[in-house]
Amino acid sequence: MASFETEWALLKQDTSAGDGMRLAGAGTSGWDKGAPGGVKSSKNAWNTAGDGVGRLGGNVKQALTTLEQGQKGMGAQGVLSAAAQREVYQSWKHYLDGMTGRCAALQERLEKAGNHQYKGDQQITEAFDEMKKQYKDTPATGGQNAGR
C-alpha cells in the first residue's frame, strides 16, 4: 500500500501530464460547452476523480481486512485491556465499513456524471445531496469518557 505522500505525488504528476482533473473556462452554457460562470465539465476529470475514490475505497477495504486479521486471537475474556481493544476494534470496523460504502457511492456518482448519465447540473446536485443523507457522519466513538 502506497503512502499518502506517494499517492499525492502521483496525482499531481498525472495532473501536470494532462491526464488529471481540468476545469476550463468557456463562454457559453450547456453540458459540454461550459456552464454560466465559465466552468466546463470534462468526462476525463469526472472519471479520474472516480478512479481515485475507487482506489481509496480499495485501500480502506484492505485496511479493514488487515484490522480483522489482527483481531484474531484477541479473545481473552475477563481481561480489561482485551475488552478495551475489542471496543476500539468495533469502533474502527464500523468506521471503515462506512468509509468503504461512501467511497463506492461517490465513485458511482462521479462516473455517472462523467458519462453524462445525469440530465444536467440539477440532477448531479440531487444525486450528491442524496448521498450526503445516506452517509451522514456519525459522532466519534470512544474518547476520554468511554468506559467510565
Side-chain angles (χ1 to χ4, degrees):
M1 183 163 64
S3 70
F4 171 79
E5 290 79 14
T6 303
E7 287 187 8
W8 182 246
L10 288 172
L11 287 171
K12 289 193 314 189
Q13 181 181 6
D14 287 347
T15 301
S16 65
D19 296 331
M21 183 180 285
R22 283 176 295 227
L23 295 175
T28 60
S29 64
W31 182 258
D32 292 333
K33 297 178 179 126
V39 176
K40 182 178 178 182
S41 179
S42 163
K43 178 179 180 175
N44 187 41
W46 286 106
N47 288 331
T48 298
D51 289 344
V53 170
R55 284 192 309 271
L56 174 62
N59 290 343
V60 170
K61 196 172 241 178
Q62 184 178 14
L64 179 58
T65 299
T66 302
L67 181 69
E68 289 171 344
Q69 289 170 347
Q71 181 66 17
K72 292 179 183 173
M74 298 295 288
Q77 298 297 326
V79 178
L80 190 57
S81 63
Q85 190 279 333
R86 276 191 303 276
E87 183 180 332
V88 170
Y89 164 74
Q90 287 300 324
S91 171
W92 274 102
K93 181 175 177 2
H94 175 76
Y95 179 78
L96 293 174
D97 281 338
M99 180 63 74
T100 301
R102 288 179 187 131
C103 286
L106 181 56
Q107 180 180 15
E108 177 187 357
R109 283 160 175 80
L110 290 167
E111 289 174 352
K112 279 185 174 182
N115 293 321
H116 306 299
Q117 293 177 355
Y118 295 118
K119 292 178 178 37
D121 292 339
Q122 182 62 35
Q123 212 175 33
I124 292 172
T125 301
E126 289 169 2
F128 283 92
D129 285 347
E130 185 60 35
M131 189 183 126
K132 286 180 195 175
K133 292 176 191 172
Q134 183 180 0
Y135 291 102
K136 286 183 183 178
D137 283 334
T138 56
T141 57
Q144 294 179 357
N145 292 327
R148 289 186 190 181

